[in-house]
Structures are given as structure tokens and as C-alpha cells.
Amino acid sequence: MTFGHFDDNNREYVITNPKTPYPWINYMGTGDFFSILSNTGGGYSFYKDARLRRITRIRYNNVPVDDGGKYFYINDGGKIWSPGWKPVKTELDTYECRHGLGYSTIKGQLNQLEAELLYFVPLDFNGEVIRVKLRNKSAETKSVKLHSFAEWALWDALDDTTNFQRNFNTGEVEVEDSCIYHKTEYRERRDHYAFYSVNAKISGFDTDRETFLGIYNGFDNPEMVTNGKCGNSIAHGWSPIASHFIEMELNAGEEKEFVFMLGYVENEKDEKFSAPNIINKTNAHRMINQFKTSEQVDDALQNLMGFYSDLLGKLNISSGDEKLDRMVNIWNQYQCMVTYFFSRSTSYFESGIGRGMGFRDSNQDIIGMVHMNPEWARQRIIDLASTQLSDGSAYHQYQPLTKRGNHEIGGNFNDDPLWLILSVSAYIKETGDWTLLDALAPFDNQGEDATIFEHIKRSFYHVVNNLGPHNLPLIGRADWNDCLNLNCFSDKPGESFQTTNNQIGRTAESVMIAGMFILYGEEFVRICELTDRLNESIKAQIQIEKMRAAIDSSGWDGDWFLRAYDFYGNKVGSKENEEGKIFIESQGFCVMAGVGIEDGRAEKALKSVEEKLSTPYGIVLLNPAYTKYHLNLGEITTYPPGYKENAGIFCHNNPWIIIAETMLGHNDKAFDYYKRITPAYLEIISELHKTEPYVYSQMIAGKDAAKPGEAKNSWLTGTAAWNFFAVSQFILGIKPDYEGLTIDPHLPSEMKELNVTRKFRGNTYHIKVQKAGGSEQNCFVNGQKWEGPLPCRSKGEIYNVLVTLSK
């Protein structure tokens, strides 16, 4: 069953049934101001940091789901409805939501009155623009009343949901003309306020939630809307809101437009007030004047569309498979930009309160977006390096508002440092900009600066300096799998598995980190070689070979790679285990690192993955699922079988197997695995899959779950970057390298031809890949046979590239 369809020409997903299996959302914003919007108008906004600068309120895990947003209520002669169906839930004659790239439209019609809403955050603007169009399609004049609604959050999202004894007393607002200002705590410690305006004269307003809704009413039945009036209420504590009330006559065939704006303003300390206790509104007035007309709105929307056209224009394919094309050309790249902005911090599954920007997460996100905006990638790398500690370890997360490490979480996740080598190498391969290595960043945002090269060197040697009894890397609190907590031993309810270390020792080891060390250690070696640091490269290569030997002697279980050794030195992910005999992570990383390819172990490991881990909906993380709690393994054994890390399909790691399969020449198997988790191929089972059919989800329920194939945690997942990396660089084979762009496709047998346009280092490459038969692969550039990376010494060139494959 489907709830809409793709519109590839407009790069939109069109939802035609508001009752989606779960709210299907979109993100808006490209700078500091961001909004999340569901297909029925739910969602919230924030400035820079979803925890520390929450502008409007949302209630997670609410009943009913997705209540609260920037709503509009229409009273058409006593018939009350909302354009997005919610919150009123009056059945509409027609409904349509279009989620585009950084904008959304919602259109509803009832009794020949059509309402069309446009939501977006303009480029370089600290506010959201909402345009409302009302069209009278009837032959008679209509008397229409329009109420807007937004509920202010009291800035700190955690405090906003907990500290009611204070918060019920602090809410403050001002109203001037058609603008409602939220100024809670502004007269004391804050230098910022928010506002909600409309470019029309209003009949009235409300700023007190109880007055607008009625204390026992929900969003679906506001007392003021039902009564067809407003209270002109001024909030004093309790729960401040912003609601405009507009009365109008719409003649037959007439259309009226209104431009609403939700904005954020910061003032200098000595410019906070224009009069005693009256906020300085100069910056708000300037922002409002930028969007007084619909023409100004149209221009800003076109600029936003042009921004995304430029980003997505760096890679475009035509494969003959429309689902593959729309994912690679549009939705996968778009999702990669969203994960760059938010890491894993704020979505409809992440509250924006408990997590900041992840060190591991954000470094991985760069491999999915560096080709679109390398300047942003470079700055993110420097920001991340600045949270690294002097011994090479790193804070696991940092807050986007402060860019400082999150002390509540801390560090000691021993895979973290190696991801910095991945992002640095990906940036240099894409740009050829070696100056990044000389850029300066402090450790822990304090003290003397060090070069980025010094940062990645310390990342490399952090592993070397933290080896266990089998000469494999110590796991610390956890590696990539945050729920494999081999030093935690938690038996107290409420303890955090990620921050609790009840066992102190240097015994628990990770085979996955060992594979990572070889894979990204080789990148470190190449960087050293290409920058004439030959002694560094030789010393590093020695450590890499030692790690290969450690995996050979202590990391192989006979048919697959072990996952780890626990605190007691017992094997994890072994035939010797009753549960959790095989894990996906070490199979992926060891094979990607080249371990076992020459002697057949890699082939065995991937065969074991197919036999024991693959399902119709993707590859599960482990098998058999854990059915009881293991104190020595941690959180992974607390989930019911088939969910999350306990044998769920954790989509993030499936691309590692996809890449590994291409390295062994299993092209059809790689593409088969790709399609199993890629949302465009799952649209037809949306009622089961539940989450959006245009973006990846973190987790799909595994074969042991009650509902195999049901997804959760959409949008903010490393799956976006990794599956883009896998499909673009390994299946399609368009791979940046230090010396230029290389072409090495691993196309499935069903794909006979591929056309690619790739913009790379200032040049444009039109690449055609054909299966021509014969005994070898050949490459021609502008008609001349070519070997090695494609030419890229100059800029502004256009190259026509033909690659012929033997099969």
C-alpha cells in the first residue's frame, strides 16, 4: 500500500493521504535556523541547537501522535477545518502534501474553499516563512475566519519539559501591530527573542494558551476557534503562544495571500531595549520587511531551489532504474545534507535533548556530502578535531551551539579517533586540497593549536597505544556499536550503559576496530607518503602489519571473523557462543580492509553473512538473537530479539557488506543487498515499513521481531552517507582518489548501461559506462584511450569519458 508518489521532475514526494503510518516529515534550513515539519503541519523550530535554543514546542511520544505544530484553523461559515487535516481532523474533500528540498507545501480543500500553505526557511535567514493562500472556488461570497497557532518553548528544551514550578511563572510576550513577540527571560540573562508575524492587519490575537484552547481542550478543538473570535489575551507565565486572528470576505473566485514569519533575533547587550522593558524590535522589523510581498517569497524560494540544484548537480546518473536514479540523484544526497546539519540530534525519534553532534557520526556523515559542499566539510572537520583530546581520543559528542565537548557523555569510545582519518582522507580525495593538513585546531578547544595532520596522527596512535592481550584494539566503553558494552556490567536500573564503567581493566578488545585500523591506517600511510613523510609512513605500516597478524591469529573463528573479546577474555561472535555467534560489523570492516581476500576467508565470511544474517528486508546485525540479559555484554542484550542492535537490521552497517561484496566481484549480490534497505524500493510496503519512503531509516525489525520489515528512526542515520558512498563509489564505481577521479564500476547484470555527470575539482565529466563484452575493461577520454585517474590538472574543462566493461 502506498500513501503518495514520487514526483522526480520537481524533486518532491507527494503525500495524498494524511493518515500515513507514521508522521512523514521534512527538514528546513541551511544555516542557523531550522524547522521540522510533518505532512499534517506538526513539528517545531530551533536556532542552531535543538536543546538550548528551542523556539517552538513539541511533545514527544504524545497521544495522539504528532500533536503540536504551526497550525492554521479555518472557520468557513461555521465549518472548522485545517489544511493539513490535523489538528482538527475534519475530513477534507482533497488533501496533498509535497515535501521538497528544504520546503514543503500542504494543500487542503473543503466546500470549494482551498487553502495552500508553503513552509520554508530562506537562505541566510534566521526565520521561517509560511505563506497561506486562500481561494474561493465557489460561485458565492464566503465569510472566512483564519486563526494561526504556534506554541512557544521556553528556550532550553530539557528545562522546558521538566522545570514547571519555575516555567509556569516566567513566560512573557509583547504584541505590536500584527506581530507577537516571545521574550521570556529576555530582561535578565538572555539576549534573544522570537517573534511570529503576518503581513496583514489582524482582527485580534491570543498569546495565552489556556485562553485560546480552553484548559480542557486539545489542539483539535480550540475554544476561540469554535467560538469564532479571539481573546486578545496577554500571557503572564503559564504557557505563552502566538495566534493571529484574521476575518475576511472572499468573493467568488477570489484569492487572498498572507505571509507569516517565525523569526529569531539576537541583540547586543547595550541594545536590548528601546524603552524600559520594551524589547528592541529593529532587527525583527528588518526581517519582516524582507518578506512583505508574495513576490519576495517567490524569489527566496527560487534561490533555495537553486541552492539545492547546485548541490545535487555535482553527481547525476541515468541507469534505466528509476528507483536507483531518484535515490542517487535526489533523496540520498538530500538526506546526506540533513545528516550533516543535525548528526543524530533532532528528529521525530531524537528529541534534540539527549544527544549533540556525534564525533563518530559527523565524521562519517562527511563522506556523503563532501562532494556537494567541501567548504562546509572542511569546517566540520576542524570543529570535530577541536573536540579531540591530546591523547588522540575524543569527546563522543559536542553541542552545536557551543562547539564544545559534551561532558555528560565524555569519551572512551575507542573507534571514535579513526573516523577522523576517514573524513580527512575523503576531503582530500574530493578536493585535492592538501592545505587541510596544515590547518590548526586545538585539543579540547583549549591550549595550543596543532595541525590536522597531528590530529590524525594521534588518532592512529591512540589505537596503537591501547591494545589488549591479543594485540587487538581495546574497545573502551564501546566501539561503533554503542550497545556492545564490554566494560559496563550494569545491574542497576537507570544506569547509562554508555557512561557506566563498572569494570576497570585493559582486556576487552574489538575485532571491528582492528579492521578499521587497517582500512583507515592505510589511508594515513598514503597521506604520509604523498606528503613526503616517509619515516611516518614506514612506522605506521609496521603497526598495520602487526594488526593484520593479530586478526589472523586471534580474530578468525573458522567461517567468519570474531566480533570481540569480553572483559574476561572470552570470545564474542563465535561458534563457541550460545547466542550472538556471528556479527555483521567485523565481517564488513575486515573484508573492506582486505583481510582474508587472498586466502579465501573473506569469501567464507560473506557466505556466512548470506546464510545466517541476510533477510528479505536487509542484513541483521547478529545471529542468533540474544534472549536473555548478559551482564558482560551490556545494552545489546536488553533489546527484545529482532530490534535495534539485538539482531535488528541496523541499516548503517549494511553498506559495509555491500562494499565488501563488490570487492569480491559479487556485483549482483551487492546490488541485491542495496535494494533491500533502500526506501524507494520499499514504497509499495509502506504500511509495514511505516517510515518515509524517500529517506533511509536507522533500523528495520529483523527476522526475530514481531513485525519483520517495520522501520524506526528515520532521517538521522549514518545509513545515508554510507549507502551513498557504497552505491556511488563501489556499485557505480565513480570514486575520488588522491590523484584524481577513478572509474571502476561493479554494475549488476541487469544494468547494461550507465550515464553519469560528475563535477569534480572544477571540471565536468560526462561518463558513459557500457557492457561491451570482450576480455578487459577499457577507458577512453575525449576519444583517447586512458589509464589511471581521469585528468584534473586544470579547471573548467569538460571531459567525455567512455568506459567499456567486459561483463
Side-chain angles (χ1 to χ4, degrees):
M1 180 179 179
T2 61
F3 295 81
H5 61 271
F6 287 94
D7 181 346
D8 295 334
N9 289 333
N10 289 307
R11 297 184 302 194
E12 296 172 337
Y13 192 82
V14 185
I15 302 168
T16 54
N17 182 345
K19 301 173 187 178
T20 50
Y22 201 76
W24 288 359
I25 71 168
N26 196 11
Y27 283 82
M28 287 165 281
T30 58
D32 294 330
F33 188 101
F34 299 101
S35 291
I36 298 176
L37 180 77
S38 77
N39 59 294
T40 57
Y44 58 102
S45 301
F46 59 94
Y47 176 79
K48 284 189 177 180
D49 191 313
R51 173 174 175 173
L52 300 178
R53 290 291 186 275
R54 187 74 62 92
I55 294 172
T56 60
R57 184 174 288 155
I58 190 172
R59 295 165 181 81
Y60 281 86
N61 200 23
N62 201 12
V63 179
V65 69
D66 192 30
D67 255 15
K70 279 154 279 187
Y71 289 139
F72 292 91
Y73 300 87
I74 295 171
N75 187 330
D76 176 13
K79 188 69 172 179
I80 297 171
W81 55 285
S82 293
W85 181 63
K86 289 193 70 175
V88 179
K89 293 184 283 189
T90 300
E91 291 299 323
L92 304 175
D93 295 334
T94 63
Y95 160 89
E96 179 185 89
C97 172
R98 287 178 172 263
H99 283 323
L101 307 184
Y103 70 91
S104 293
T105 62
I106 296 175
K107 185 188 295 185
Q109 181 173 314
L110 185 64
N111 296 338
Q112 296 183 295
L113 177 62
E114 181 182 82
E116 181 179 351
L117 313 179
L118 166 67
Y119 298 80
F120 73 104
V121 174
L123 298 174
D124 303 315
F125 191 74
N126 289 335
E128 178 182 351
V129 172
I130 308 170
R131 181 170 63 191
V132 179
K133 292 184 178 181
L134 298 176
R135 302 182 186 95
N136 181 1
K137 292 187 170 184
S138 76
E140 298 178 354
T141 298
K142 286 180 174 285
S143 296
V144 178
K145 297 176 181 179
L146 177 69
H147 293 261
S148 69
F149 175 84
E151 184 178 13
W152 302 116
L154 304 188
W155 302 117
D156 185 315
L158 178 60
D159 188 79
D160 186 59
T161 58
T162 54
N163 193 9
F164 302 113
Q165 62 83 28
R166 170 177 167 81
N167 293 339
F168 283 165
N169 296 281
T170 59
E172 287 189 278
V173 299
E174 285 184 28
V175 180
E176 178 190 75
D177 299 327
S178 299
C179 187
I180 298 168
Y181 297 86
H182 175 225
K183 61 175 188 177
T184 298
E185 294 188 342
Y186 182 78
R187 66 185 177 87
E188 322 99 52
R189 296 171 294 177
R190 295 190 179 274
D191 63 359
H192 45 272
Y193 62 83
F195 65 89
Y196 196 26
S197 68
V198 63
N199 68 338
K201 184 177 180 180
I202 59 176
S203 305
F205 61 87
D206 275 297
T207 69
D208 175 68
R209 191 182 71 194
E210 182 177 332
T211 301
F212 179 73
L213 293 179
I215 191 168
Y216 295 112
N217 291 354
F219 298 121
D220 59 334
N221 186 32
E223 188 171 296
M224 288 298 146
V225 176
T226 302
N227 293 338
K229 61 181 183 179
C230 65
N232 292 329
S233 57
I234 297 293
H236 298 283
W238 294 108
S239 299
I241 64 164
S243 176
H244 307 89
F245 178 50
I246 302 173
E247 297 177 289
M248 72 196 81
E249 295 285 314
L250 277 177
N251 296 322
E254 185 180 5
E255 175 180 290
K256 288 190 176 181
E257 297 185 2
F258 304 93
V259 180
F260 291 82
M261 180 186 294
L262 179 71
Y264 172 90
V265 169
E266 290 182 352
N267 283 331
E268 296 293 333
K269 188 175 182 180
D270 58 353
E271 297 178 351
K272 289 179 64 173
F273 298 98
S274 60
N277 290 324
I278 302 298
I279 60 177
N280 181 349
K281 305 177 180 68
T282 302
N283 289 326
H285 291 161
R286 176 184 52 79
M287 292 174 66
I288 293 168
N289 287 332
Q290 286 182 250
F291 294 96
K292 293 178 68 174
T293 69
S294 192
E295 290 75 19
Q296 290 171 310
V297 173
D298 288 334
D299 288 344
L301 180 62
Q302 288 303 311
N303 289 338
L304 179 65
M305 290 178 171
F307 170 81
Y308 275 108
S309 291
D310 181 62
L311 290 183
L312 273 58
K314 305 296 174 58
L315 174 67
N316 192 273
I317 74 166
S318 176
S319 67
D321 181 336
E322 67 174 8
K323 296 181 177 67
L324 174 64
D325 291 354
R326 68 170 57 114
M327 288 307 303
V328 172
N329 294 339
I330 306 170
W331 293 101
N332 196 172
Q333 294 192 72
Y334 178 51
Q335 187 178 2
C336 285
M337 287 307 304
V338 170
T339 60
Y340 161 80
F341 288 129
F342 305 110
S343 188
R344 312 295 175 266
S345 64
T346 182
S347 70
Y348 261 40
F349 296 89
E350 299 283 2
S351 68
I353 295 174
R355 301 178 69 171
M357 305 289 284
F359 187 92
R360 168 202 301 148
D361 301 325
S362 294
N363 275 297
Q364 292 176 88
D365 292 340
I366 285 171
I367 68 175
M369 59 72 63
V370 63
H371 69 289
M372 290 186 278
N373 198 320
E375 294 80 10
W376 286 0
R378 179 187 171 104
Q379 186 57 53
R380 177 60 53 81
I381 288 169
I382 293 171
D383 289 344
L384 288 164
S386 300
T387 68
Q388 191 176 23
L389 302 176
S390 60
D391 67 351
S393 64
Y395 282 103
H396 198 47
Q397 298 170 10
Y398 73 92
Q399 288 303 126
L401 186 68
T402 64
K403 294 187 178 181
R404 299 190 69 87
N406 188 330
H407 288 277
E408 295 176 10
I409 303 298
N412 198 27
F413 296 78
N414 283 350
D415 64 309
D416 276 352
L418 291 174
W419 298 113
L420 184 63
I421 301 177
L422 167 65
S423 64
V424 169
S425 64
Y427 172 83
I428 296 173
K429 288 178 181 180
E430 178 64 34
T431 63
D433 176 18
W434 292 91
T435 67
L436 173 65
L437 297 177
D438 299 320
L440 298 176
F443 291 100
D444 193 13
N445 274 294
Q446 57 190 350
E448 293 185 6
D449 288 341
T451 64
I452 293 298
F453 178 82
E454 180 64 25
H455 279 271
I456 63 173
K457 178 181 175 180
R458 296 197 193 188
S459 293
F460 180 87
Y461 283 101
H462 182 268
V463 176
V464 175
N465 296 331
N466 289 277
L467 301 177
H470 300 89
N471 291 316
L472 294 166
L474 294 172
I475 196 170
R477 287 179 174 172
D479 57 21
W480 172 88
N481 190 333
D482 281 314
C483 296
L484 187 61
N485 316 116
L486 304 184
N487 294 301
C488 178
F489 286 68
S490 175
D491 58 3
K492 296 179 181 177
E495 283 185 330
S496 167
F497 288 96
Q498 277 74 54
T499 60
T500 299
N501 278 13
N502 290 329
Q503 300 296 323
I504 300 175
R506 295 176 64 85
T507 51
E509 299 164 290
S510 167
V511 177
M512 177 196 162
I513 298 180
M516 282 184 68
F517 179 78
I518 295 172
L519 181 61
Y520 301 135
E522 294 283 8
E523 298 293 351
F524 178 67
V525 167
R526 288 192 68 194
I527 288 171
C528 291
E529 291 172 344
L530 292 169
T531 55
D532 296 325
R533 294 174 169 97
L534 298 183
N535 288 336
E536 289 284 4
S537 70
I538 292 170
K539 290 190 293 184
Q541 192 64 50
I542 290 171
Q543 299 300 330
I544 291 170
E545 296 311 315
K546 287 181 179 180
M547 192 65 74
R548 287 187 189 276
I551 294 177
D552 289 345
S553 63
S554 303
W556 180 249
D557 198 53
D559 288 307
W560 56 80
F561 294 97
L562 290 173
R563 180 59 178 87
Y565 286 90
D566 71 7
F567 176 80
Y568 300 112
N570 298 320
K571 295 176 181 177
V572 179
S574 167
K575 293 176 182 176
E576 298 174 12
N577 302 130
E578 179 183 353
E579 300 175 324
K581 294 176 181 290
I582 177 174
F583 284 66
I584 189 175
E585 303 101 305
S586 46
Q587 319 315 317
F589 261 97
C590 287
V591 177
M592 286 196 297
V595 179
I597 289 181
E598 293 184 358
D599 61 16
R601 285 179 297 159
E603 192 81 41
K604 275 189 174 183
L606 294 185
K607 186 66 174 176
S608 296
V609 168
E610 181 180 19
E611 292 175 351
K612 299 182 181 300
L613 301 181
S614 68
T615 80
Y617 304 110
I619 307 168
V620 299
L621 192 143
L622 62 85
N623 183 259
Y626 292 106
T627 59
K628 54 188 176 183
Y629 178 49
H630 294 260
L631 192 68
N632 62 314
L633 299 181
E635 187 176 6
I636 194 169
T637 63
T638 67
Y639 288 107
Y643 292 98
K644 291 279 282 183
E645 284 84 352
N646 187 17
I649 299 161
F650 216 90
C651 300
H652 186 144
N653 52 44
N654 277 222
W656 304 341
I657 300 299
I658 293 169
I659 292 170
E661 294 285 5
T662 66
M663 293 174 64
L664 270 62
H666 303 161
N667 299 354
D668 285 342
K669 178 56 67 178
F671 193 57
D672 176 35
Y673 285 153
Y674 170 80
K675 291 191 292 185
R676 294 188 198 190
I677 64 167
T678 297
Y681 294 92
L682 308 177
E683 182 186 22
I684 194 67
I685 59 167
S686 289
E687 77 282 5
L688 169 64
H689 191 69
K690 291 194 73 142
T691 57
E692 298 91 338
Y694 43 92
V695 292
Y696 290 97
S697 292
Q698 178 208 69
M699 197 281 296
I700 300 173
K703 56 188 175 181
D704 301 290
K707 289 185 179 180
E710 181 183 67
K712 296 187 179 79
N713 292 37
S714 60
W715 280 97
L716 301 187
T717 166
T719 313
W722 269 106
N723 230 24
F724 181 77
F725 186 74
V727 70
S728 63
Q729 298 197 26
F730 290 87
I731 294 177
L732 304 181
I734 314 301
K735 187 181 299 186
D737 205 352
Y738 297 105
E739 297 174 338
L741 195 64
T742 64
I743 314 296
D744 185 22
H746 292 83
L747 304 184
S749 56
E750 65 196 68
M751 191 181 301
K752 304 304 180 185
E753 184 174 295
L754 171 70
N755 289 280
V756 180
T757 296
R758 179 67 156 91
K759 295 180 180 179
F760 178 76
R761 298 188 189 176
N763 299 312
T764 301
Y765 299 83
H766 298 297
I767 304 164
K768 181 185 288 289
V769 180
Q770 291 181 327
K771 292 182 177 177
S775 59
E776 60 183 17
Q777 177 174 316
N778 289 301
C779 178
F780 302 87
V781 178
N782 293 340
Q784 301 296 313
K785 192 168 183 179
W786 192 270
E787 293 184 0
L790 300 181
C792 65
R793 292 179 181 176
S794 58
K795 291 187 177 182
E797 302 291 335
I798 298 176
Y799 295 100
N800 294 302
V801 182
L802 173 65
V803 177
T804 58
L805 305 180
S806 59
K807 60 179 181 178

